[in-house]
Structure formats: C-alpha cells, structure tokens
Amino acid sequence: MSSVNNSLFLFAMALLAISLLIAMFPLKNWLVINRTKEKELRWMQWLNEKPTKSEYCSIHQQKPDKIECDFCGASRQLPSLEMVMTSNPKFGIFSNKFDKYTHFKTYICSGCGTELYRERYEA
Ligand SMILES: [Zn+2]
C-alpha cells in the first residue's frame, strides 16, 4: 500500500515540476512584452523632446534634403543610433514573435554638436 502511495506521490511531483516548467515560458515571455512596452513608452518620450526631421524643416523653413543647422549653419548632420528594440512583439507560449526592430536615432550637427532632430523608424 505504501509503495502505491509513494509512486503516486512521485507521479504528482513530476507532474507539478513539468507544469511549472511549462508555465515558466509564458510568464517570462509576458514579462518581456511588458518590459518592451514600458521601454518603448520611455523612448517615445525621449523622441518627443526634439522635433522630427519634417517638423524641424517646417519650423526653420528648410528643405529636408538640404538642412542647415539653426545655430552655426553647418549642413552636415551625424546620425547617432541611440536604441534598437523589438517592434510590437506578439506574445507566444514558447517564444514571443516580432518581425521588425524599432530604431531610435538622433541627428547631431557636425559643426556645433547640437542635437537637431530625432527620428524613429522600423526595419
Ligand atoms: Zn551647428
């Protein structure tokens, strides 16, 4: 009788261990999605601190293909990649799915080092 009880107990423990293992994937994936959403919110705020390229052009009456710095007149901007993160990941039991990355870039004047505009794009 006790050996039946023992094997039942072992079976139950094994079942519990397997279910815990299976449950850990979705939990981790769900946490990753949540963290990505929070991160994206923070970086959207960062993006909104400066105008985009088209906003910069309309504010300073400039052409998008020929931008000059408003402070020193230099016509070259250096792109600086600030952040890359998965774009809109979809929840998955074993692994999350996403098909693009979101890039956050800032453009710095080569003459005076001022951050002129910021852009976000997906690739
Ligand atoms: Zn400048």
Side-chain angles (χ1 to χ4, degrees):
M1 192 64 188
S2 90
S3 79
V4 172
N5 273 345
N6 271 345
S7 53
L8 261 179
F9 178 73
L10 281 176
F11 179 72
M13 288 311 281
L15 214 62
L16 188 69
I18 291 168
S19 356
L20 277 178
L21 210 65
I22 290 173
M24 267 162 61
F25 282 106
L27 182 66
K28 182 182 144 276
N29 295 345
W30 180 78
L31 286 174
V32 167
I33 296 240
N34 257 23
R35 246 178 280 140
T36 307
K37 278 182 184 161
E38 283 169 17
K39 201 163 137 186
E40 187 175 7
L41 265 180
R42 282 203 306 278
W43 279 92
M44 287 307 288
Q45 285 168 358
W46 173 87
L47 189 72
N48 289 332
E49 287 166 7
K50 295 272 177 188
T52 62
K53 186 176 188 174
S54 57
E55 283 167 354
Y56 184 86
C57 290
S58 68
I59 292 167
H60 301 284
Q61 277 114 46
Q62 302 217 21
K63 292 191 185 93
D65 55 345
K66 196 175 171 294
I67 292 175
E68 285 178 355
C69 173
D70 198 40
F71 298 98
C72 73
S75 58
R76 239 160 57 91
Q77 296 92 45
L78 305 172
S80 166
L81 185 61
E82 300 292 319
M83 175 50 72
V84 179
M85 69 178 77
T86 55
S87 168
N88 195 22
K90 306 266 189 308
F91 177 77
I93 299 290
F94 290 104
S95 63
N96 294 335
K97 290 172 183 60
F98 65 95
D99 34 50
K100 279 177 180 170
Y101 287 99
T102 304
H103 301 241
F104 289 91
K105 273 189 173 185
T106 190
Y107 288 78
I108 299 161
C109 169
S110 67
C112 66
T114 307
E115 274 188 62
L116 297 181
Y117 54 90
R118 289 174 176 174
E119 293 269 282
R120 169 208 166 134
Y121 67 92
E122 297 191 339

